[in-house]
Amino acid sequence: MFTPEPGFPLGDIPQAHATERPDAVAVRSGEKQLTWAELYRASTEVARGLRLSGVGHGRIVPLMLPNGVDVVVAAFACLKLGAVPQPLSTRLAPPEEEAILALSDPAVVVGLEEGAPVGDGRMRSTTVAELRRRAGEFKEDDLVTEVGPSWKAPTSGGSTGRPKIILSGAAGAFNPFDMEAWGLRPGEQSLVTAPVHHNAPFSTAMTTLFNGGTVTLLERFDAERVLADIERYAITWVYLVPTMMRRVLALPEKTRERYDLSSLVSVWHCAEPCPPATKQAWIDWLGPERIHELYAGTEAQAGCTISGTEWLAHRGSVGRTTWGEIKIVALDGTPVTEPGVSGEIFMRVSEGKPPAFRYIGAETEEDDGWSTLGDIGEFDADGYLYLHDRRSDMLLVGGVNVYPAEIEAALTEHPHVLSGAVIGLPDPDRGNRVHAIVQIEEGSPTTAEEIDAFLATRLSPHKRPRSIELVTTPLRSAAGKLRRSALRAERLTDGGGARTP
């Protein structure tokens, strides 16, 4: 089987595998699948269509596509041109969409509907089918593969409440990094259960394909479908987040026992802390040697991995540093050198390595290469890292980062809202429930339902508060600081105090 060498152009991957195994399935989703020959032909045609649309070397191409074969076709088309694929959610709220596209400055946006207005309305989306149709205007020998400056451009929110682009520091050429970090082997049969507009699902799906494996993309998460697809396609590698793991465990035992999971070699999870009871249940079910966890940010300066076997000896850990460098810094700014002492986690690339990322739309706050994701944790004496909490300005909801500042900014756009504070309250399924505390004037007729409807036009569904509480007392100190920790503690004490819209 063809195995790319470091530096091999990613845009030539489909052709290389198609030459060797034209009829082998490369990607499937729902009722659709593409062989390597079909993927090569389709991605080449889309690349021609993109070129005619003005896409060139280094240009970011937003892909507003759901999980399916089209997003893979479009991604390889971008890589063929030396352009940078940027998978985006199809459910972005208009202000988010406009802000991201303003940063991307694309020549074209690939979406679900031909001619749909995107961003501020001055641009219209095109589809994979339309790009393939345009390819007839391009001659076969006019397209030469180029290696782009970056192979992906995922997006993120931030403490400022504005989105940013995290441009990968890796060029559009084969790099074994993701393969090694995720334990992906050549020829892997991978099941990706989460939306590929998130970084880890996109990276693992594409890395599987780079290495000649087959990717099965779930169109939407379904707990039993995960087990059924593992059996049906002899899946060897699967990606999950802890919320999904809990939902699979919630299936009746007879349902779980109905499926043959013997093909599974690796179950990987990341994106949010995994409750020890959930992890233990999966280890008891499938065996510790199959369960793996990765801890890192989209920036990928450094990261940890841990197997289930290691976890049993270091219960609660996210592993030892696998790449890059990680250190703990006390809240007063002094380095932590003793095991068992907690502080903020800082990361940087290993000495002599190139930068792992570059932000578009934000400044990189670094000190001698060190930067932080805002996590609090500690190392034990054996070098295993333990996470204690997330920095107060970020919540993890079902494995997705949600930034309170962004929601609070949207709240204050309402004419009757004086101030807003967004906190996370415990949720047994998704880890956190987004709860908004909204200060209004005494006697205001404003309702929680009205505010929820207002936010629905400004925020994506996963960012909208699941509960809204109206108050007339100030939420900020005299110095203008929000008292998030105190507000959260009060609601945990009194049982929530929330009214659900």
Side-chain angles (χ1 to χ4, degrees), residues 202-258:
F202 179 74
S203 297
T204 53
M206 295 299 290
T207 299
T208 296
L209 293 166
F210 297 159
N211 287 279
T214 300
V215 171
T216 300
L217 295 174
L218 282 192
E219 294 175 298
R220 62 177 183 81
F221 178 77
D222 178 276
E224 188 170 354
R225 179 64 181 270
V226 169
L227 304 183
D229 279 2
I230 291 172
E231 178 182 85
R232 181 180 181 184
Y233 300 118
I235 296 296
T236 57
W237 189 101
V238 64
Y239 171 89
L240 296 164
V241 300
T243 293
M244 296 173 178
M245 296 168 73
R246 290 193 291 268
R247 291 180 182 176
V248 172
L249 289 174
L251 292 170
E253 188 172 353
K254 288 184 178 180
T255 300
R256 288 194 282 125
E257 291 177 348
R258 186 183 305 155

Side-chain angles (χ1 to χ4, degrees), residues 414-498:
H414 191 287
H416 298 146
V417 170
L418 301 179
S419 184
V422 173
I423 60 174
L425 296 178
D427 183 274
D429 184 38
R430 300 179 67 79
N432 276 298
R433 166 168 58 89
V434 179
H435 176 64
I437 308 164
V438 181
Q439 182 189 354
I440 58 174
E441 291 184 354
E442 190 82 42
S444 171
T446 303
T447 65
E449 290 77 12
E450 176 189 336
I451 291 174
D452 180 58
F454 179 83
L455 293 178
T457 65
R458 288 162 170 77
L459 297 171
S460 298
H462 74 279
K463 298 178 183 178
R464 286 167 53 194
R466 291 293 178 264
S467 49
I468 295 175
E469 176 186 355
L470 303 181
V471 300
T472 56
T473 53
L475 299 177
R476 296 180 178 270
S477 68
K481 299 292 185 181
L482 275 178
R483 305 176 296 112
R484 285 201 192 98
S485 297
L487 292 169
R488 183 175 187 273
E490 291 168 7
R491 275 126 192 99
L492 292 176
T493 301
D494 66 18

Side-chain angles (χ1 to χ4, degrees), residues 22 28 59 82 91 133 139 162 175 193 243-244 281 313 351 353 387-388 411 428 438 450 463 486 494:
R28 64 170 68 91
R59 201 73 184 265
R91 303 181 67 190
R133 186 193 67 77
K139 294 181 180 179
R162 299 290 294 173
N175 182 336
T193 60
T243 293
M244 296 173 178
E351 187 174 353
K353 295 286 187 180
L387 302 181
H388 295 322
L411 279 169
V438 181
E450 176 189 336
K463 298 178 183 178
D494 66 18

Side-chain angles (χ1 to χ4, degrees), residues 177 180-181 293-296 300-307 310 317-328 345-351 370 378-380 382-387:
F177 170 76
E180 295 166 356
E293 180 174 2
L294 181 143
Y295 167 70
Q301 318 98 307
C304 298
T305 57
I306 189 170
S307 68
E310 291 175 288
S317 173
V318 294
R320 289 159 58 161
T321 303
T322 307
W323 76 91
E325 301 176 32
I326 300 177
K327 70 176 181 179
I328 307 295
I345 300 168
F346 280 75
M347 300 179 173
R348 71 176 179 184
V349 298
S350 299
E351 187 174 353
W370 294 99
E378 66 181 69
F379 281 110
D380 67 13
D382 296 321
Y384 283 83
L385 181 64
Y386 296 76
L387 302 181

Side-chain angles (χ1 to χ4, degrees), residues 38-345:
E38 291 167 335
L39 176 58
Y40 169 49
R41 182 168 59 252
S43 60
T44 302
E45 290 173 352
V46 171
R48 293 182 182 131
L50 288 173
R51 175 63 58 82
L52 288 171
S53 300
V55 175
H57 184 270
R59 201 73 184 265
I60 293 175
V61 182
L63 309 179
M64 300 185 73
L65 299 166
N67 279 21
V69 299
D70 276 358
V71 72
V72 171
V73 169
F76 272 114
C78 294
L79 295 170
K80 181 79 174 176
L81 298 175
V84 187
Q86 182 185 58
L88 295 177
S89 172
T90 59
R91 303 181 67 190
L92 288 173
E96 295 175 275
E97 179 181 298
E98 183 176 345
I100 291 170
L101 295 183
L103 295 174
S104 302
D105 187 28
V108 65
V109 174
V110 184
L112 288 168
E113 183 181 348
E114 180 66 25
V118 291
D120 60 6
R122 289 180 294 179
M123 180 178 289
R124 304 277 165 171
S125 69
T126 188
T127 63
V128 165
E130 174 60 18
L131 290 167
R132 293 189 71 179
R133 186 193 67 77
R134 294 180 199 169
E137 305 171 34
F138 221 108
K139 294 181 180 179
E140 186 76 28
D141 59 355
D142 283 339
L143 196 65
V144 177
T145 301
E146 298 187 47
V147 174
S150 178
W151 81 275
K152 60 179 180 177
T155 62
S156 174
S159 57
T160 62
R162 299 290 294 173
K164 61 178 177 284
I165 296 171
I166 305 173
L167 199 64
S168 173
F174 182 74
N175 182 336
F177 170 76
D178 281 293
M179 179 180 71
E180 295 166 356
W182 290 99
L184 285 160
R185 306 162 305 166
E188 201 82 74
Q189 300 296 305
S190 295
L191 175 62
V192 175
T193 60
V196 292
H197 63 258
H198 296 305
N199 178 60
F202 179 74
S203 297
T204 53
M206 295 299 290
T207 299
T208 296
L209 293 166
F210 297 159
N211 287 279
T214 300
V215 171
T216 300
L217 295 174
L218 282 192
E219 294 175 298
R220 62 177 183 81
F221 178 77
D222 178 276
E224 188 170 354
R225 179 64 181 270
V226 169
L227 304 183
D229 279 2
I230 291 172
E231 178 182 85
R232 181 180 181 184
Y233 300 118
I235 296 296
T236 57
W237 189 101
V238 64
Y239 171 89
L240 296 164
V241 300
T243 293
M244 296 173 178
M245 296 168 73
R246 290 193 291 268
R247 291 180 182 176
V248 172
L249 289 174
L251 292 170
E253 188 172 353
K254 288 184 178 180
T255 300
R256 288 194 282 125
E257 291 177 348
R258 186 183 305 155
Y259 297 98
D260 178 6
L261 309 184
S262 60
S263 63
L264 267 182
V265 175
S266 301
V267 175
W268 282 79
H269 69 88
C270 74
E272 62 176 318
C274 187
T278 298
K279 186 145 185 171
Q280 184 68 60
W282 275 77
I283 287 173
D284 292 343
W285 180 22
L286 298 179
E289 67 284 349
R290 292 182 177 182
I291 310 301
H292 301 267
E293 180 174 2
L294 181 143
Y295 167 70
T298 302
E299 292 83 352
Q301 318 98 307
C304 298
T305 57
I306 189 170
S307 68
T309 303
E310 291 175 288
W311 187 87
L312 289 174
H314 300 271
R315 188 178 177 87
S317 173
V318 294
R320 289 159 58 161
T321 303
T322 307
W323 76 91
E325 301 176 32
I326 300 177
K327 70 176 181 179
I328 307 295
V329 177
L331 298 182
D332 63 3
T334 58
V336 172
T337 58
E338 297 295 320
V341 179
S342 65
E344 191 164 6
I345 300 168

